[in-house]
Each structure stands twice: as C-alpha cells, then as structure tokens.
Amino acid sequence: MSMGRSGSPNGRFGRVSPSGLSLARLEQFWLKPVDAAPYVVARTGYGLLVTGWALSLVPDFDLIFGSQSLNDPFYPTWRVLSLFRFVDQPLVLGAGLAALIVSGAAVAVGHFTRLSLPLAALLQISLADYASAWSIGAESVMRLIGLFFGAFGLITATDRQGTATTAGHPGANPNGMIARWPVLLVQLQILLVYLTSGLEKLRGAEWQEGSAAYHALEIEHLRRFEAPEFLTSTSVLVTLMSWSTVIIELGLPVLLIWPRTRKLALLLAVILHLGFDVFLELGFFGPAMVVGLACFLDAPSAKRLLRRWPFRG
Amino acid sequence: MKPEEPFEDYRVRNHGPTGPAVTIGCTVVALSLLLWNMPIPGLRGAYRDMTAPAYGIARLNQNWGLFAPEVSQTSLFVHIELVHADNSVTRLDFPDGEPFIGTYRAYRWSAFEETLYEEPELQDHVLEWAVNQVDDPSSVVRAELIAVESDVSTGTSGPFVATYVRDVVASFEPT
C-alpha cells in the first residue's frame, strides 16, 4: 500500500482537505519511520547531560534546595507543572535530585527508557523550575529537549525506542526504527535557537559594527578563560569574530536543513560552541546544544558513534 | 519493522490509537514554536504578550534574544556585607568555581547574582538568610547587598582597564 494523494484507504485518515493537508499526510510526516541511531545518540547525550547537571547541583544542594536555601518560595513564577510546586521539603527535593541522577544514568545507558526518560525530563524541569533564580539559557535548552524526548519515551514502548545495539537493523530487530517526530521537534527547536539568536544579533548596533565580541570578552563575571591579548587588541580579529558569529548562526539553519551541507554545519556549530565555552561561562548551554545537534547526524555517523559507546542498552 | 512495511501498518503497530493524537500534538507544538519565535519583533512581542501564560504552562516559553545582548554592559559581582554593632564587617561571597569543572557550578551562581541584583523580592529574603549565617545573629545591625560593577567597555578593540563602582543595592536591618 502506498500513500499517494488519496492517503490511507481506511477512510479515517484518508480524506484530503481542499488545501491538500490531511491528517493522513501529517501522520506520514511526523510518524514516518527512520533509523533510530541519531535519536539514540541524542538520547544518550541527554542522559549524560542531565546526570552531569544534577551532579553539579550536589555541592550547592543546601543553598539551593536545602534547609539553608536562598530560594524565595514566592520567587519562581513558572512552577505550574513542577513536581515540587506543593511539596518542597529538602528531603523530597533531595530524593528528586538522587532520582534524577539515577534516571539520567539509566537514559544514558539505554535502560528502562519508557520510565527513565520521562522521569529524568520531569525531574530536570521541576528542579530547574525550583531553582529558576540560578537558571540561564542552558536550562531552557535542556527543558525543551526533555519535553520532546520525555513525551516520546512515555508513549513508546521501551523495545520500540531503539538501542545502541539495534539502531538501524530493521530486519533483525523491530526497534531499529523509530517514528521521527521527537527528532524533528528537536531539530526544529535547534534551528529556531540559531535563527532567532542570529536575527537578534543582526539588529544590534555592536554586532553590526563588529565590536560585540570585544565587549563580550570584557564582561568579567561571564569570563571562563581570559582571551589572549592579541585577540582583543586586533581590531580585524574582533570584527571577524563578531561577524562570523552572526553569519554562522544565520547560516546554520540553512546548512543544517540541506543534507549535503549538514556535516559542514555540524562542524561549524561545534566550533562555535567550543569558542563560546572557552571564553564565556555558559555552563551547560554548549553541551545541551550539542545534544540537540546530534539529531541532525546521519545514520551511518550515528552508528559509528554508538559502536564506541560501551553501554548498549 | 522491515523497510518495505507499509506506512499504515507501521503506524498502527507502533502508535495504534495514539497516532492521530501524536500527530495533532506535534503539529500544534511545531506551530507554537514557530509563532513564538517569529522573526518580526513587533508582531512577536504582541503574540508573546497574549500567549505567555499558555506557553508558560506548556513549558514551551523561551527567549533566545538573551544570547544577542548589546554586550557593552557592565561586569557585575554581588556580595553581602554584615555590619556588626562594633562596626566590624563580615563579608559573604557566593560560591565560585575554577574554570575547568568548577565552571559548571560557577555559571549558576553568576546567574543567581544577576537575578538577585534585579529582584527586590529576593533581596530581602537573602539578606535575612545572611544574618543567620554568623555565629551571633543578634550582633548584626545591618545587612547590605553590595554590587561591584565595572564601567562600560568602550571602543572596538585594545586594552581595557576597568574601574569599579561599589553600590549598595539593598539593605536590611534585623529587628
């Protein structure tokens, strides 16, 4: 059976609306089976990411969640769906943090993903909401990836979510393929991050004149490693850094969408984030974006990465 | 699933009755993301004003404009000073970290310092907390939230020597 203009023959999903858009076509778009390997790479990265994020909270647990918390209980405004909206005793928050470390690790090794993936996403979002006074863009990227992957984990049986071993082997194992919607949603989100950020920069006077990188490197409280003096004292380099950031961010959406330039785009994106991460204190933003970028990997590259991963799920 | 398996069979076997719900959900989410991030600032602002509560509940709210600041802004460090009855001062700094692994802790406290600088509601709570951190809280007559800011970097390149300005952002007197 093929899905042409008439759609599925069972009638329920097969009606094509006058505009040519039907539920059947949308289903084909979102539910089309694709190789699970890129998703498994991204999911593994997400597991490592939330585990690392949770572990980084441990030294400051008492100041953020504990009896000595600096958190004003009236401060966070976006706790509508948070697990800790009504029950926020330190013991409960501590149990939540411990559960996030365990579930994040389970996601990273591909175990019980129907439970561990949505649980890790829900706990990460809830803890980040509780600690919203300590949050920056990194937590937003993690939240959005968690929402899409968590929803997929929840509604898809574990043995249909793909593993490092079975990804891409549809004949040998039914979980070699997945519906592509979680990958598509994360891809869309990543494209929008670059596009929006690039367009905003394009409108800024300092980005236009090319001095933005110079000023950014001078913000002490955001500094990770001090930039070499030749970088900030050479006007041409400063201008080049500023403009190349804008050009790469605006170019990435196009380069990532076009399969022929996708590898180049991934390389540019990783270099961009490495550059940010060396000089600026952005926490988990770079790693979170790289996890999202993994959704753009082609299946053979993703499989090569998975072969190096010791935990096969 | 074999590659040649018909799409309808795949859909039914993998999603069953949830297929249409997933499809509609994904379509709504994708459209929501596109609308929230639309590239026309005026229209985007009006749309966000209208829909922010719904996006907040769905947790799809996001602001990537924060990665495109007019960056010639001040460097900001915040700490607390507790003034005792004998005029001695105890200084409390927020945690920091070394730039390798510690940066994954320090970024969080940099964010907190900015939040604290901007949010009066949080300032009172934190100053009250600070008073209770000393051995004898009754000796504290005043807690002050201090911001140390450097001036704006000017020019487009070259050495920049910051001068720092100290500012009392908030003050709290324990009763």
Side-chain angles (χ1 to χ4, degrees), chain B residues 89-100:
Chain B
V89 175
T90 303
R91 175 175 166 143
L92 295 178
D93 283 293
F94 296 106
D96 202 356
E98 44 72 36
F100 291 95

Side-chain angles (χ1 to χ4, degrees), chain A residues 24 31 40 53 56 99 119 123 131 138 143 150 156 178 199 203 210 221-222 238 306:
Chain A
L31 305 184
V40 175
W53 183 84
S56 77
L119 183 64
L123 286 167
R143 162 167 52 86
T156 309
I178 59 160
L199 286 173
R203 277 190 273 270
H221 77 282
L222 287 181
V238 167
L306 290 174

Side-chain angles (χ1 to χ4, degrees), chain B:
Chain B
M1 174 197 142
K2 291 176 183 172
E4 65 272 18
E5 183 178 18
F7 173 75
E8 184 66 12
D9 291 354
Y10 175 85
R11 185 190 67 73
V12 170
R13 198 154 58 77
N14 286 276
H15 291 277
T18 63
V22 170
T23 300
I24 292 167
C26 287
T27 307
V28 169
V29 167
L31 287 174
S32 303
L33 293 177
L34 288 168
L35 285 168
W36 184 265
N37 290 295
M38 70 175 96
I40 307 159
L43 209 55
R44 183 176 64 209
Y47 178 77
R48 286 186 180 184
D49 287 345
M50 276 191 308
T51 57
Y55 275 82
I57 291 168
R59 308 304 282 117
L60 293 173
N61 52 320
Q62 49 197 271
N63 176 23
W64 310 117
L66 69 95
F67 293 118
E70 282 296 291
V71 286
S72 60
Q73 55 184 301
T74 55
S75 291
L76 177 72
F77 299 94
V78 174
H79 68 269
I80 295 167
E81 289 182 359
L82 302 173
V83 182
H84 298 268
D86 61 1
N87 277 334
S88 61
V89 175
T90 303
R91 175 175 166 143
L92 295 178
D93 283 293
F94 296 106
D96 202 356
E98 44 72 36
F100 291 95
I101 299 297
T103 189
Y104 294 102
R105 177 192 188 202
Y107 86 97
R108 193 171 278 133
W109 287 100
S110 296
F112 182 77
E113 287 180 36
E114 277 192 48
T115 307
L116 189 56
Y117 180 74
E118 291 164 2
E119 297 287 343
E121 288 174 27
L122 197 55
Q123 290 163 3
D124 286 346
H125 173 76
V126 170
L127 288 175
E128 193 173 350
W129 165 88
V131 171
N132 292 312
Q133 299 311 300
V134 291
D135 291 338
D136 180 15
S138 64
S139 70
V140 178
V141 293
R142 194 169 66 254
E144 291 178 337
L145 186 68
I146 308 292
V148 178
E149 301 173 66
S150 73
D151 55 357
V152 175
S153 53
T154 53
T156 56
S157 64
F160 169 67
V161 181
T163 50
Y164 295 94
V165 179
R166 185 180 183 279
D167 183 28
V168 179
V169 180
S171 183
F172 171 76
E173 292 183 8
T175 50

